[in-house]
């Protein structure tokens, strides 16, 4: 069971969860498969990009650029949909539905 770490950082929660999982895996001397390590890195990078989009959108909003705010959150939502989807076909369907 992974404790609730989303409250520590709402935007980059996965980094905190990975730190906890890494500590537990080290203590238990578990070896994580290579594919799982790759998937973790991909998820971390997508999470980091989403965090930067929130920063960019809210910073632009502070400067009065309302359109930039909506553009950033639109792109963030697309990444969020992809990071939740398992098969690529489901991700493609979700994106085409939201774009319509």
């Amino acid at each position: 069971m992974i404790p609730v770490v989303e409250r520590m950082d709402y935007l980059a929660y996965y980094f905190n969860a990975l730190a906890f999982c890494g500590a537990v895996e080290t203590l238990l001397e578990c070896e994580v498969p290579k594919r799982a390590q790759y998937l973790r890195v991909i998820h971390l990078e997508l999470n980091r990009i989403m965090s930067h989009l929130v920063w960019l959108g809210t910073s632009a909003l502070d400067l009065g650029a309302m359109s930039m705010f909506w553009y950033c959150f639109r792109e963030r939502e697309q990444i969020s949909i992809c990071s939740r989807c398992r098969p690529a076909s489901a991700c493609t369907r979700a994106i085409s539905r939201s774009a319509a």
Side-chain angles (χ1 to χ4, degrees):
M1 181 175 119
I2 300 173
V4 180
V5 295
E6 288 87 5
R7 295 182 189 152
M8 294 168 58
D9 185 356
Y10 288 105
L11 296 177
Y13 66 92
Y14 196 70
F15 289 89
N16 297 322
L18 184 63
F20 177 80
C21 290
V24 171
E25 291 162 0
T26 301
L27 288 172
L28 296 176
E29 297 177 356
C30 294
E31 186 172 334
V32 180
K34 210 60 158 160
R35 182 168 188 245
Q37 292 175 5
Y38 290 138
L39 291 173
R40 282 179 175 178
V41 169
I42 291 169
H43 195 82
L44 284 169
E45 289 302 314
L46 288 173
N47 193 269
R48 185 180 61 82
I49 292 169
M50 288 191 310
S51 175
H52 286 303
L53 284 170
V54 169
W55 166 81
L56 180 62
T58 54
S59 296
L61 188 61
D62 289 341
L63 296 172
M66 188 69 173
S67 297
M68 184 68 165
F69 174 77
W70 292 119
Y71 293 145
C72 288
F73 272 77
R74 180 191 63 192
E75 298 305 320
R76 182 179 183 270
E77 185 63 25
Q78 293 297 319
I79 295 170
S80 178
I81 289 169
C82 281
S83 66
R84 286 188 301 237
C85 295
R86 295 290 182 231
S89 60
C91 185
T92 304
R93 283 194 305 270
I95 289 173
S96 62
R97 266 195 315 258
S98 67

